């Protein structure tokens, strides 16, 4: 037997071009017992309605039951959201960015090779911070005399 028509219907079915009548033809064809082996793989796809029990249909009272359930429910009140509440995520993001920038700036601060105690000792000896850092600042004569003694 030639199954070209069924093959054409299957090709149209996969392209979503079949009508409801053509799909009924495919269902009735695949509900038969004698199907060629190459088309046997499609049997479960088209014969599912006969294998599955009939599903429960919605009766006329369904709409009434659903509407009565919704009428019993309390209405939901809408919350008012202020501008501050809306912008709170932006405030939090700005605070996080400020903390990150502050920490990164602190990490980039130049660290002297000398410990802090050496700086205080040299300050007690009369050497100015500007001279210690290599600036060309002049030291007053009194401090100069103290350094030479």
């Amino acid at each position: 037997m030639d199954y070209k028509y069924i093959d054409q219907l299957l090709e149209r079915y996969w392209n979503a071009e079949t009508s409801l009548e053509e799909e009924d033809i495919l269902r009735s064809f695949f509900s038969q017992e004698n199907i060629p082996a190459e088309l046997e793989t499609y049997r479960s796809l088209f014969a599912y309605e006969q294998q599955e029990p009939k599903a429960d249909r919605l009766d006329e009272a369904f709409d009434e039951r659903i509407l009565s359930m919704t009428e019993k429910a309390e209405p939901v009140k809408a919350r008012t959201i202020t501008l501050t509440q809306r912008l709170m995520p932006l405030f939090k993001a700005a605070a996080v960015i400020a903390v990150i920038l502050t920490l990164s700036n602190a990490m980039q601060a130049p660290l002297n090779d000398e410990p802090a105690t050496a700086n205080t000792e040299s300050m007690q000896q009369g050497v100015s911070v500007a001279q210690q850092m290599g600036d060309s600042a002049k030291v007053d004569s009194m401090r100069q005399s103290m350094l030479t003694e």
Side-chain angles (χ1 to χ4, degrees):
M1 183 173 212
D2 190 21
Y3 296 106
K4 286 185 179 181
Y5 181 65
I6 297 298
D7 288 333
Q8 290 173 354
L9 283 180
L10 280 173
E11 185 65 33
R12 291 184 60 208
Y13 181 78
W14 298 126
N15 292 331
E17 298 172 350
T18 55
S19 64
L20 292 176
E21 292 81 23
E22 291 170 333
E23 290 179 15
D24 287 337
I25 293 170
L26 286 171
R27 283 191 203 95
S28 64
F29 173 77
F30 285 106
S31 65
Q32 299 173 4
E33 291 187 22
N34 298 329
I35 296 177
E38 64 269 5
L39 297 177
E40 188 67 37
T41 58
Y42 303 118
R43 173 177 266 185
S44 61
L45 180 66
F46 291 102
Y48 69 93
E49 285 184 359
Q50 295 170 353
Q51 295 170 354
E52 293 292 321
K54 293 288 183 186
D56 294 334
R57 302 281 182 209
L58 299 177
D59 57 350
E60 298 297 325
F62 177 76
D63 290 336
E64 294 171 12
R65 287 194 310 257
I66 295 296
L67 288 174
S68 68
M69 288 171 35
T70 58
E71 289 172 355
K72 292 177 187 176
E74 294 180 19
V76 178
K77 294 182 180 178
R79 276 187 355 188
T80 56
I81 299 175
T82 63
L83 182 63
T84 307
Q85 289 174 334
R86 280 188 176 205
L87 296 178
M88 189 59 66
L90 294 175
F91 295 153
K92 290 179 181 179
V96 168
I97 290 172
V99 167
I100 290 172
L101 290 176
T102 303
L103 290 177
S104 66
N105 193 19
M107 295 297 289
Q108 291 179 0
L111 300 175
N112 292 338
D113 293 338
E114 300 175 3
T117 57
N119 283 341
T120 57
E121 289 174 7
S122 63
M123 292 283 286
Q124 289 172 354
Q125 293 176 358
V127 177
S128 70
V129 176
Q131 186 181 11
Q132 194 177 36
M133 296 180 80
D135 279 352
S136 62
K138 303 243 182 202
V139 180
D140 65 285
S141 61
M142 193 163 195
R143 284 190 185 170
Q144 184 73 27
S145 65
M146 285 176 47
L147 287 175
T148 56
E149 290 177 8

